[in-house]
Amino acid sequence: KENLTLGIVAAVVLAMIVIAVVAHRRRINRVRKIVDETGEKVTKYTAMLEEAERSKIRNESEIKQLRAKLNEAKTRHAAVLGRGQRLCERLFPDGTTAEWSKADFEAAVEYIRSKKPEEVESIETEYGRMTAHGKFFLLMESVCDNTNDLARIMNISPSAVRTMRHRLRKRKIVSD
C-alpha cells in the first residue's frame, strides 16, 4: 500500500514538473515569436497584396483588408523594435537594466538584431539556446570598454560579471 502511494505521489510530482517545464518553454521567447510572426505576416500580406493588384481579380474591399493587416503587422513589429531601441538608448552614458523585465531584455536583443544581425546570429550559433539576459550580456560585453561598465549596465557587481563570463564560456559550443 505504501509503494502504491509513493508511486502515485511520484507520478503526480513528475506530471507537475513536466507541466511547469512546458509552460516555461512557451513563455521563453514570446517577443522573438512576435517578431518572427509579424515578419512572416508582413511578407505574406505583401505578396498577397502584390498578387491582388497584379491580377485585379480580387475586389477593392479584399485589397483594403490586406493593406490593413499589413499595416497592423508592421506596427506590431515596429513597437517591439521601438521599445528595444528606447531601452538600449537609456543605457548610455549611465543607465542600468535594474528594472528591466524578461520582455525588456527580449525587446532589446531584437532591436540589436535589427542593427547587428550577424553578431546576434553568431552568439546564437556559438552558445545555442540561452536566455535573452545571457544574449544581452554577451552583446553588451562587446560594447563595453571594461568590466565596471558592464557591471553598471547589467546592475551586477564586477565579480558577478567575471562569474557570468566564466559560466557562459563553459556553455560555448565547441565546433570541430
Side-chain angles (χ1 to χ4, degrees):
K1 191 172 181 177
E2 285 181 24
N3 288 340
L4 180 63
T5 305
L6 185 61
I8 291 172
V9 169
V12 168
V13 168
L14 181 62
M16 291 174 65
I17 290 172
V18 168
I19 289 170
V21 167
V22 168
H24 178 70
R25 281 292 183 231
R26 286 187 166 182
R27 284 184 275 139
I28 278 190
N29 285 325
R30 191 175 311 156
V31 172
R32 175 76 186 268
K33 287 177 185 175
I34 289 170
V35 170
D36 290 345
E37 288 172 2
T38 55
E40 290 171 6
K41 286 179 182 179
V42 166
T43 304
K44 175 184 162 188
Y45 295 149
T46 302
M48 290 172 68
L49 189 58
E50 289 172 357
E51 177 61 31
E53 289 174 346
R54 270 197 311 265
S55 67
K56 297 291 182 188
I57 295 173
R58 298 184 180 188
N59 61 28
E60 287 298 316
S61 66
E62 190 173 343
I63 291 174
K64 192 180 282 187
Q65 286 176 337
L66 283 173
R67 281 194 179 117
K69 287 181 180 180
L70 178 62
N71 288 336
E72 179 185 333
K74 285 181 179 179
T75 302
R76 192 171 186 193
H77 188 259
V80 170
L81 295 180
R83 181 169 160 225
Q85 179 182 11
R86 285 189 304 278
L87 290 166
C88 287
E89 287 174 350
R90 289 183 196 155
L91 291 177
F92 298 99
D94 59 357
T96 179
T97 61
E99 296 179 1
W100 283 23
S101 66
K102 175 183 167 187
D104 292 336
F105 282 104
E106 291 171 348
V109 168
E110 289 306 319
Y111 168 70
I112 296 169
R113 181 188 312 276
S114 73
K115 297 295 182 186
K116 300 177 180 181
E118 299 86 16
E119 193 169 341
V120 177
E121 188 66 33
S122 170
I123 288 171
E124 290 174 340
T125 302
E126 289 179 27
Y127 292 90
R129 289 172 61 134
M130 63 186 319
T131 64
H133 184 268
K135 288 179 197 174
F136 186 77
F137 177 88
L138 291 170
L139 290 165
M140 287 296 103
E141 190 172 38
S142 67
V143 173
C144 294
D145 295 334
N146 58 48
T147 301
N148 290 333
D149 285 344
L150 184 58
R152 177 193 50 79
I153 287 172
M154 298 302 293
N155 196 42
I156 56 179
S157 69
S159 63
V161 168
R162 289 188 294 277
T163 301
M164 195 160 180
R165 280 182 181 143
H166 176 73
R167 289 180 180 162
L168 288 171
R169 206 174 15 249
K170 287 192 326 188
R171 286 194 57 188
K172 195 170 188 176
I173 298 169
V174 179
S175 58
D176 294 341

